[in-house]
Short mmCIF file of all heavy atoms in Angstrom, two decimals:
data_model
loop_
_atom_site.label_atom_id
_atom_site.label_comp_id
_atom_site.label_asym_id
_atom_site.label_seq_id
_atom_site.Cartn_x
_atom_site.Cartn_y
_atom_site.Cartn_z
N THR A 389 11.31 7.57 21.92
CA THR A 389 10.98 8.92 21.47
C THR A 389 10.23 8.87 20.14
O THR A 389 9.24 9.58 19.95
CB THR A 389 12.27 9.76 21.28
OG1 THR A 389 13.07 9.63 22.46
CG2 THR A 389 11.95 11.22 21.08
N ALA A 390 10.69 7.99 19.25
CA ALA A 390 10.01 7.85 17.96
C ALA A 390 8.58 7.36 18.17
O ALA A 390 7.65 7.86 17.53
CB ALA A 390 10.78 6.87 17.07
N THR A 393 6.57 10.30 19.17
CA THR A 393 6.20 11.24 18.10
C THR A 393 5.06 10.66 17.26
O THR A 393 4.16 11.39 16.85
CB THR A 393 7.38 11.56 17.16
OG1 THR A 393 7.81 10.36 16.53
CG2 THR A 393 8.54 12.17 17.88
N THR A 422 9.25 14.65 11.89
CA THR A 422 9.55 14.25 13.26
C THR A 422 10.17 12.86 13.36
O THR A 422 11.18 12.66 14.00
CB THR A 422 8.28 14.26 14.12
OG1 THR A 422 7.30 13.43 13.50
CG2 THR A 422 7.73 15.65 14.27
N LEU A 426 14.65 11.31 13.52
CA LEU A 426 15.06 10.49 14.65
C LEU A 426 15.74 9.20 14.20
O LEU A 426 16.59 8.65 14.89
CB LEU A 426 13.83 10.12 15.50
CG LEU A 426 13.38 11.15 16.52
CD1 LEU A 426 12.05 10.74 17.12
CD2 LEU A 426 14.41 11.29 17.62
N VAL B 27 17.48 13.25 27.79
CA VAL B 27 16.67 14.47 27.84
C VAL B 27 16.89 15.32 26.60
O VAL B 27 15.95 15.87 26.02
CB VAL B 27 16.98 15.28 29.13
CG1 VAL B 27 16.36 16.66 29.07
CG2 VAL B 27 16.46 14.52 30.34
N ALA B 28 18.16 15.38 26.15
CA ALA B 28 18.48 16.18 24.97
C ALA B 28 17.72 15.66 23.75
O ALA B 28 17.13 16.43 22.98
CB ALA B 28 19.98 16.16 24.71
N ILE B 29 17.73 14.33 23.59
CA ILE B 29 17.04 13.75 22.44
C ILE B 29 15.54 14.02 22.54
O ILE B 29 14.88 14.41 21.57
CB ILE B 29 17.32 12.24 22.35
CG1 ILE B 29 18.78 12.01 21.96
CG2 ILE B 29 16.39 11.57 21.34
CD1 ILE B 29 19.23 10.58 22.03
N LEU B 30 15.00 13.83 23.75
CA LEU B 30 13.57 14.08 23.94
C LEU B 30 13.22 15.54 23.64
O LEU B 30 12.21 15.82 22.99
CB LEU B 30 13.18 13.76 25.38
CG LEU B 30 12.61 12.37 25.61
CD1 LEU B 30 12.34 12.16 27.09
CD2 LEU B 30 11.31 12.19 24.82
N ALA B 31 14.07 16.44 24.11
CA ALA B 31 13.79 17.87 23.90
C ALA B 31 13.82 18.20 22.41
O ALA B 31 12.94 18.88 21.89
CB ALA B 31 14.82 18.72 24.66
N ALA B 32 14.84 17.65 21.73
CA ALA B 32 14.94 17.90 20.29
C ALA B 32 13.70 17.38 19.59
O ALA B 32 13.10 18.05 18.73
CB ALA B 32 16.19 17.22 19.72
N ALA B 33 13.25 16.18 19.99
CA ALA B 33 12.06 15.60 19.38
C ALA B 33 10.83 16.45 19.68
O ALA B 33 9.99 16.68 18.81
CB ALA B 33 11.85 14.18 19.87
N ALA B 34 10.76 16.95 20.92
CA ALA B 34 9.59 17.76 21.31
C ALA B 34 9.53 19.03 20.48
O ALA B 34 8.46 19.45 20.02
CB ALA B 34 9.66 18.09 22.79
N ILE B 35 10.70 19.64 20.24
CA ILE B 35 10.73 20.86 19.43
C ILE B 35 10.27 20.55 18.00
O ILE B 35 9.45 21.26 17.43
CB ILE B 35 12.15 21.48 19.43
CG1 ILE B 35 12.45 22.02 20.84
CG2 ILE B 35 12.26 22.58 18.39
CD1 ILE B 35 13.89 22.37 21.07
N MET B 36 10.79 19.43 17.48
CA MET B 36 10.40 19.05 16.12
C MET B 36 8.89 18.80 16.04
O MET B 36 8.23 19.19 15.09
CB MET B 36 11.15 17.79 15.69
CG MET B 36 12.58 18.03 15.31
SD MET B 36 13.26 16.61 14.46
CE MET B 36 13.21 15.36 15.71
N VAL B 37 8.37 18.13 17.07
CA VAL B 37 6.93 17.83 17.08
C VAL B 37 6.12 19.12 17.09
O VAL B 37 5.18 19.28 16.31
CB VAL B 37 6.57 16.94 18.29
CG1 VAL B 37 5.08 16.93 18.53
CG2 VAL B 37 7.08 15.52 18.08
N ALA B 38 6.52 20.05 17.96
CA ALA B 38 5.77 21.31 18.07
C ALA B 38 5.82 22.06 16.73
O ALA B 38 4.80 22.56 16.24
CB ALA B 38 6.37 22.17 19.17
#
Side-chain angles (χ1 to χ4, degrees):
Chain A
T389 310
T393 62
T422 56
L426 277 171
Chain B
V27 169
I29 291 171
L30 264 177
I35 291 167
M36 283 194 296
V37 164

